[in-house]
Amino acid sequence: MSLAVIGMIAGMALGFAGYFGGFGAFLLVAALGAVGFVVGRFLEGDLDLGDFFRPRDDRRR
């Protein structure tokens, strides 16, 4: 699946949540989508858990 299709599906899910559930449901779906994105990137190996806990001066420039 291309990134455009995935983005369209995510946008439609947020739209339905906002329409049927209100703003609170919209925020919940957006937050859970962000968490799912980070977990997916971590499981694919694109993201290292140490990136979140490394001190600021130790990061790559």
Side-chain angles (χ1 to χ4, degrees), residues 10-21:
M12 289 174 62
L14 287 172
F16 279 116
Y19 183 77
F20 291 110

Side-chain angles (χ1 to χ4, degrees), residues 2-34:
S2 71
L3 289 177
V5 173
I6 293 171
M8 180 189 67
I9 292 170
M12 289 174 62
L14 287 172
F16 279 116
Y19 183 77
F20 291 110
F23 188 68
F26 173 82
L27 290 179
L28 179 66
V29 170
L32 290 176

